Amino acid sequence: MTDYRYIGKPIDRVDALEKVRGTARFVGDYHLPGMLYARCLRSELPHARIVKLDVTPALQVPGVVAVITSDDFIDHGRFGFPISDLFMLAYEKVRYVGEGIACVAAETPEAALAGTKAILCELEELPAIFDMEHALDPNAPQIGPAREDGKHPNFLGHFPVYDGDPEAVLVDCDAVIDQNYETVMQEHAYIETEGSLAIPTVEGGVLAYVSCQSPFIARGHIMRTLGLGETAARVINPPVGGSFGGKDDLNYMTAGQVACLALKTKRPVRMTFSREESMIASYKRGAMRMRVRVGADKAGKLRACHFKATYDSGAYSSQSPFTSWRASIHAMGPYRYDACTVDLTTVYTNNGFAGAFRGFGNPEVYAGIEQAIDELAEKLGIDPLDFRLQNCLRLGDTTPHGQTLTESVGLSDCLLAVRKASDWERKRAAYAHQSDPDRRRGIGVTALFHGTSLGAEGTDEATGTIEIHQDNRVTLTSGLTDYGPGSRTVYCMIAAEMLGVDIQRINIHLPDTNLAKDSGPTVASRSTMLGGNATRIAALNLRQNLDYAAADLLGCEVFQLQRAGESYLGPSEEPVPWEVVVEHARRMGLVLSTFGRWSAPKIHWDEEAGRGVPYFAYHFGAQIAEVEVDLRTGLTDVLNYYAAHDAGKVIFPQGAYGQIYGGVAQGLGYALYEDVDYMDGYLQSINFDTYLIPTSVDVPEINGSFVETHYSQGPFGAKNIAEPAMVPVAPTILNAIAQATGRRVRKLPANLERVLLGETLHKKGSPVSCKVALKSV
Amino acid sequence: MLIQFTLNNQPVAVEAPSDITLLALLRDHLRLTGSKEACEVGECGACSVILDGELVNSCLVAAPQVSGRSVITIEGVRAPDGGPNDMQQNFISYGAVQCGFCIPGMIMAGEALLLKNPQPTRQQIRVALAGNLCRCTGYQQIVDAIEATAKSRARQRA
Ligand code: FES
Ligand code: FES
């Protein structure tokens, strides 16, 4: 094993000091002289035609300086990738409650609100769709964009995987499970709400501070929709107060709106959302309805899977084509089958809208498949952990997509690790026989695989730069954002390791479109792999120059060089300080700023055939939850949680463990409480008093561990971690509840009534809180 | 109205409207932006400050209510040499900081707890943090950091 100085060792996060002191400046902390406050007029109807939109009365309101609508953008601010169905502000129609219609800039937040109220906006209500099962009915009202291929406009896409004929195999199986499962939408609930600040530049361009996933995407939308050249728009990521996939499309709109207003008013314009506005306007994790059929033979060999699902993207496509695709790839779980079909259809409705969220479709499908696998094991009378061990993907196996796994497959080791850590066998046996009439315990397990980086969702490359300054400080840039997971620390560790210098020398810029190079979106847990490799290569290029300088200085060949701390040693073993080598390199005229680009290995996916190599590598993991259910109230207490993950080599341990703990907490909320309930298109929970996320007393002590397989293409053998920890949590807890109560909860979340009664109580909702919130400060 | 109080051990007098919250007074009038605004209904604790030794959500306190009283915000938490104090350093060392948005509030909650209970159990720490939401960390390393601080302070006292 190579002995590293930094990689895999504890280290202080690079941006932690300013965060613990309260001096880190998030967007909402910026104050500039003359800064205006922006606020959107938002739709109070789930589906309507904009019949009249007159902003002139708003301009009469004291303090209001400017108002914009979609007319102020090129092509009405149309944007969105891969389907361009979004607008910077609504154009012709609104499709969900909370959609921005016009945007006001004013001297105070109060004046901005008064301005939105003064706008004359006449909406003609249209019939809407709230049930995804009816989105494709022939007479369903049109929500999605018109299409020319004859398909239903509310059809967003079909995402299949085909491997043989599971129907033929299922009839042959000794045991078959055929069940429906359902997930609901989930709110990201980043503690920092959305926000952007735009400052007009002297040359007529705009500088924007945007709390978002990718400054380059924000800049691209600003450039295209406002007609600015690349150099006229600059976007910087200030510290981002949590994102989890959520600060993407919606905050690009916010950025576009303030940029437009800044250009119009020639003053800085800032917009930050209240929690209510954030929850009403923002996109969510989409809801999914699944029918899962899995079959096995008596000996416990899994034989077939037929997974059919509908995914609700709400009013816009946003990232749903990608989340749906990722979901389809993983929908059968990490197992070998004789035959497998996945058949996922994504549709438009008027339930808010769905977009990127940690796990990207996988928490949804795992809530189905990992319960079905458990139910099948139970039917066969086989221990669910043994059943998974017997059927899980191993090195050399071919997946249902047709991909042979040639390295870094640590799934069975993860299962063995959680089995041991949790004392599974003893507890599983003990909890099978309980007599307490009020409280019952259960223990449940899941297994997972999760494709690394974008996969066949897009071209996958990243660029990093590194530079030694005159004062010998080293500065890195990366186009990938760090909205919490710690990737900037990972890059500094990699650079220090490669250069053989003290990490204190190394600084990393905030992501800035003028300093960094476009590296694609910071999504899909791609930061470590893509950005890490780019940094590694940039640092290698720089080290090569320094090595030449050192060899020249020491009168030897490069291969004879040795290092002692930062210093270089030649054959004479007299140490030469790093600074002296750097100075010598300068004198030799060698460049001390380099960059590195890394492209992911080639992969391909045939969308029609439903086959190919969807990802170049997979993260594997296994989790176990131990719960206690109060049979009188239906309250579930998660007592213990065990998670073992194969993320390849772990580079930044505190960060990696933090991803496990945070992921488990987010999944626990998804399992037990979180329910974005749209009643006829109106969100019912619009703040943390009714939308409950896990607190410190809800989350148990988590036993996290890593199975460090080496991945040859990863930096130092690393893969990814940010998303996967969250992915299997809900079914892990549901499987434990099933053992405790003897009853399955097949619809998320497993709240009191579902656990207690096995059904959802019908609640009466109301549009009132949304409507009031959209009109108040 | 003129609001006079002790802020981070210094007397201050600030002219501000009487109908604003302590959070708005701190952030908008005194430009102390370390206390964060994230819900304004007292549910998240991002705005936590210590008022006369008690942890409060500053979004629920009317600004005039602090007249004559003592308020400690995250800007007032530091070591005698001006650097991070032991609690802040432990938050860094234990990996308790991710996005950081909840962190000022978490540190205030940790400090407020140790004022009253210098040697809390992990469960007592969890209960003390129950009003402070964090979406990133799962709380575990935050509990680690507060526990470590309590232990090291106890050692120093001994
Ligand atoms: S902002 Fe005060 S408790 Fe959330
Ligand atoms: S660190 Fe992000 S909310 Fe706590």
Side-chain angles (χ1 to χ4, degrees):
Chain A
M1 197 112 194
T2 327
D3 201 15
Y4 295 120
R5 181 156 169 217
Y6 293 112
I7 302 300
K9 305 272 165 67
I11 191 100
D12 288 355
R13 216 190 133 94
V14 295
D15 54 359
L17 181 60
E18 55 175 26
K19 289 176 174 173
V20 298
R21 306 201 65 178
T23 53
R25 293 233 170 251
F26 295 85
V27 168
D29 300 332
Y30 279 81
H31 285 274
L32 274 75
M35 183 176 86
L36 299 173
Y37 297 83
R39 165 104 188 201
C40 271
L41 168 70
R42 295 188 179 278
S43 172
E44 290 182 27
L45 293 175
H47 195 200
R49 191 175 313 287
I50 302 172
V51 186
K52 183 169 180 189
L53 184 56
D54 179 4
V55 303
T56 43
L59 292 166
Q60 313 304 314
V61 173
V64 170
V65 180
V67 188
I68 55 168
T69 67
S70 71
D71 289 343
D72 291 276
F73 296 91
I74 293 168
D75 191 23
H76 301 283
R78 181 191 290 275
F79 77 102
F81 181 78
I83 300 172
S84 276
D85 57 4
L86 281 163
F87 297 89
M88 284 291 168
L89 287 162
Y91 172 55
E92 291 184 330
K93 287 216 301 186
V94 287
R95 294 174 175 82
Y96 76 97
V97 174
E99 182 163 359
I101 298 172
C103 193
V104 177
E107 303 287 352
T108 62
E110 294 74 18
L113 175 65
T116 63
K117 289 183 183 167
I119 294 169
L120 281 179
C121 174
E122 217 176 284
L123 298 179
E124 175 194 309
E125 186 153 15
L126 297 169
I129 294 271
F130 305 115
D131 183 350
M132 65 173 110
E133 300 302 348
H134 293 291
L136 300 182
D137 288 355
N139 58 351
Q142 176 184 341
I143 298 138
R147 42 197 305 162
E148 269 139 36
D149 58 4
K151 295 212 172 94
H152 199 296
N154 297 341
F155 170 80
L156 201 152
H158 180 235
F159 305 87
V161 177
Y162 296 120
D163 181 22
D165 179 9
E167 294 305 317
V169 182
L170 280 168
V171 296
D172 255 15
C173 286
D174 297 319
V176 172
I177 291 293
D178 180 353
Q179 280 295 352
N180 294 319
Y181 304 92
E182 186 175 344
T183 68
V184 293
M185 293 174 115
Q186 185 184 23
E187 161 69 31
H188 300 81
Y190 21 70
I191 304 298
E192 179 208 31
T193 58
E194 293 79 357
S196 296
L197 162 68
I199 302 169
T201 63
V202 180
E203 321 90 283
V206 63
L207 163 61
Y209 295 84
V210 185
S211 176
C212 68
Q213 298 272 138
S214 168
F216 287 95
I217 298 180
R219 182 186 65 170
H221 294 323
I222 290 172
M223 279 161 45
R224 275 186 298 278
T225 60
L226 295 173
L228 297 176
E230 197 163 307
T231 52
R234 175 180 181 187
V235 175
I236 294 173
N237 257 153
V240 176
S243 181
F244 319 109
K247 287 177 180 161
D248 198 59
D249 288 325
L250 178 71
N251 223 28
Y252 301 147
M253 294 185 216
T254 310
Q257 291 155 9
V258 293
C260 182
L261 285 165
L263 290 173
K264 199 160 184 153
T265 59
K266 307 223 173 346
R267 289 169 66 174
V269 181
R270 192 188 80 189
M271 171 147 54
T272 47
F273 287 13
S274 66
R275 178 61 53 187
E276 288 82 2
E277 185 175 18
S278 169
M279 293 196 53
I280 294 170
S282 71
Y283 61 86
K284 317 294 181 202
R285 181 189 301 291
M288 191 177 282
R289 288 197 198 150
M290 303 163 256
R291 178 182 176 199
V292 186
R293 286 181 293 157
V294 281
D297 66 19
K298 275 201 288 291
K301 180 181 182 299
L302 255 180
R303 295 204 52 212
C305 171
H306 193 144
F307 182 104
K308 191 168 165 51
T310 308
Y311 190 58
D312 184 357
S313 183
Y316 292 99
S317 61
S318 187
Q319 297 289 300
S320 291
F322 297 134
T323 51
S324 307
W325 179 76
R326 180 177 281 268
S328 73
I329 298 301
H330 299 87
M332 75 298 288
Y335 305 107
R336 293 180 305 266
Y337 296 96
D338 296 340
C340 169
T341 291
V342 175
D343 178 358
L344 182 90
T345 301
T346 302
V347 299
Y348 289 98
T349 69
N350 299 103
N351 293 319
F353 74 117
F357 196 154
R358 190 182 205 164
F360 236 64
N362 275 353
E364 293 88 316
V365 294
Y366 275 93
I369 188 67
E370 275 302 287
Q371 286 208 78
I373 291 291
D374 232 56
E375 297 199 57
L376 185 56
E378 193 184 336
K379 196 165 185 176
L380 289 160
I382 300 176
D383 175 88
L385 201 153
D386 288 338
F387 186 56
R388 286 177 172 84
L389 268 176
Q390 185 180 348
N391 292 288
C392 74
L393 291 170
R394 290 167 190 262
L395 197 66
D397 282 347
T398 299
T399 68
H401 324 92
Q403 175 175 10
T404 302
L405 301 173
T406 54
E407 62 169 318
S408 194
V409 185
L411 180 51
S412 58
D413 287 339
C414 290
L415 281 162
L416 294 172
V418 285
R419 174 156 83 182
K420 184 153 180 238
S422 67
D423 197 6
W424 166 267
E425 275 141 1
R426 188 185 62 75
K427 286 177 183 165
R428 183 83 189 174
Y431 299 160
H433 307 284
Q434 297 175 79
S435 50
D436 187 327
D438 297 334
R439 291 172 174 280
R440 292 282 166 83
R441 291 190 175 188
I443 187 164
V445 64
T446 54
L448 108 140
F449 75 142
H450 183 90
T452 288
S453 196
L454 292 182
E457 290 163 53
T459 43
D460 222 3
E461 63 171 37
T463 304
T465 71
I466 185 163
E467 178 177 3
I468 305 178
H469 298 274
Q470 278 308 323
D471 60 1
N472 292 339
R473 277 181 317 115
V474 180
T475 311
L476 308 179
T477 71
S478 167
L480 296 173
T481 316
D482 187 351
Y483 32 80
S487 44
R488 297 172 74 220
T489 306
V490 167
Y491 302 154
C492 291
M493 294 171 83
I494 290 175
E497 191 76 50
M498 296 310 303
L499 292 176
V501 299
D502 293 341
I503 198 162
Q504 287 73 22
R505 279 193 195 277
I506 303 195
N507 295 288
I508 182 160
H509 282 294
L510 287 172
D512 178 340
T513 57
N514 273 26
L515 295 177
K517 306 232 185 294
D518 191 359
S519 294
T522 309
V523 298
S525 314
R526 61 197 288 272
S527 300
T528 299
M529 178 86 82
L530 274 288
N533 266 322
T535 302
R536 183 179 59 87
I537 293 166
L540 268 178
N541 282 326
L542 182 58
R543 194 180 72 189
Q544 180 168 313
N545 288 348
L546 294 177
D547 286 356
Y548 285 134
D552 191 59
L553 196 62
L554 293 159
C556 67
E557 298 293 333
V558 167
F559 71 85
Q560 293 174 298
L561 292 170
Q562 304 229 13
R563 299 292 291 272
E566 290 194 319
S567 297
Y568 276 86
L569 306 180
S572 69
E573 307 212 337
E574 189 64 28
V576 179
W578 184 78
E579 288 91 338
V580 174
V581 172
V582 171
E583 195 44 46
H584 191 68
R586 285 195 189 103
R587 253 180 273 137
M588 288 172 74
L590 292 170
V591 67
L592 294 182
S593 71
T594 53
F595 81 107
R597 172 178 297 139
W598 192 75
S599 305
K602 283 267 166 295
I603 42 180
H604 61 90
W605 184 252
D606 184 330
E607 284 174 17
E608 297 287 307
R611 299 193 64 68
V613 175
Y615 295 94
F616 52 82
Y618 296 88
H619 173 109
F620 296 92
Q623 298 190 348
I624 283 177
E626 193 181 346
V627 303
E628 182 169 282
V629 180
D630 186 328
L631 299 179
R632 293 160 301 187
T633 60
L635 185 73
T636 300
D637 191 7
V638 181
L639 302 173
N640 288 298
Y641 207 93
Y642 308 86
H645 288 266
D646 165 17
K649 171 76 190 165
V650 173
I651 292 181
F652 173 32
Q654 296 110 307
Y657 281 103
Q659 288 306 305
I660 290 191
Y661 304 144
V664 169
Q666 235 170 32
L668 186 147
Y670 189 50
L672 298 178
Y673 333 114
E674 295 184 41
D675 185 355
V676 172
D677 185 10
Y678 282 101
M679 200 270 320
D680 294 341
Y682 293 91
L683 193 62
Q684 296 303 300
S685 300
I686 59 172
N687 203 327
F688 291 135
D689 50 353
T690 48
Y691 189 87
L692 303 182
I693 66 171
T695 69
S696 49
V697 290
D698 300 320
V699 182
E701 297 287 334
I702 297 160
N703 177 312
S705 62
F706 289 97
V707 169
E708 293 189 288
T709 66
H710 183 89
Y711 176 54
S712 65
Q713 302 294 304
F716 303 94
K719 294 192 285 193
N720 57 333
I721 177 67
E723 291 182 287
M726 192 269 172
V727 168
V729 179
T732 311
I733 292 173
L734 292 175
N735 288 343
I737 293 174
Q739 196 201 15
T741 63
R743 191 158 61 196
R744 282 262 155 207
V745 179
R746 298 190 183 89
K747 178 173 177 178
L748 289 182
N751 53 22
L752 305 186
E753 68 221 34
R754 291 208 184 98
V755 172
L756 188 63
L757 310 170
E759 62 186 81
T760 313
L761 292 181
H762 190 71
K763 282 182 299 216
K764 247 179 96 69
S766 147
V768 172
S769 58
C770 276
K771 291 191 176 185
V772 170
L774 288 171
K775 290 200 198 74
S776 35
V777 188
Chain B
M1 68 180 287
L2 186 69
I3 303 174
Q4 288 178 286
F5 64 111
T6 307
L7 176 58
N8 297 328
N9 303 317
Q10 301 287 325
V12 289
V14 50
E15 193 60 50
S18 59
D19 61 348
I20 64 168
T21 64
L22 173 58
L23 179 62
L25 183 74
L26 293 170
R27 287 182 57 84
D28 302 337
H29 295 266
L30 293 160
R31 294 287 159 82
L32 292 180
T33 54
S35 308
K36 303 300 177 195
E37 174 189 314
C39 75
E40 288 192 280
V41 293
E43 290 288 335
C44 76
C47 63
S48 299
V49 301
I50 296 178
L51 174 60
D52 286 344
E54 296 284 337
L55 186 71
V56 295
N57 289 323
S58 63
C59 71
L60 294 184
V61 176
Q65 269 179 280
V66 303
S67 296
R69 300 170 74 183
S70 163
V71 175
I72 305 285
T73 69
I74 188 67
E75 287 85 356
V77 178
R78 61 172 104 90
D81 68 357
N85 78 358
D86 52 349
M87 176 85 77
Q88 290 166 314
Q89 186 53 50
N90 281 326
F91 267 65
I92 301 174
S93 312
Y94 283 84
V97 180
Q98 289 192 33
C99 84
F101 204 77
C102 70
I103 294 299
M106 289 289 182
I107 288 173
M108 299 318 291
E111 291 290 2
L113 169 66
L114 298 194
L115 283 177
K116 301 201 149 163
N117 179 358
Q119 277 170 286
T121 62
R122 285 181 75 84
Q123 187 54 27
Q124 286 170 332
I125 296 171
R126 286 184 178 271
V127 170
L129 297 179
N132 289 70
L133 296 177
C134 173
R135 192 58 154 172
C136 300
T137 65
Y139 306 102
Q140 191 147 319
Q141 289 153 309
I142 294 175
V143 176
D144 292 344
I146 296 172
E147 184 185 35
T149 307
K151 285 191 174 145
S152 71
R153 287 185 188 176
R155 272 196 303 276
Q156 277 159 22
R157 278 190 304 269

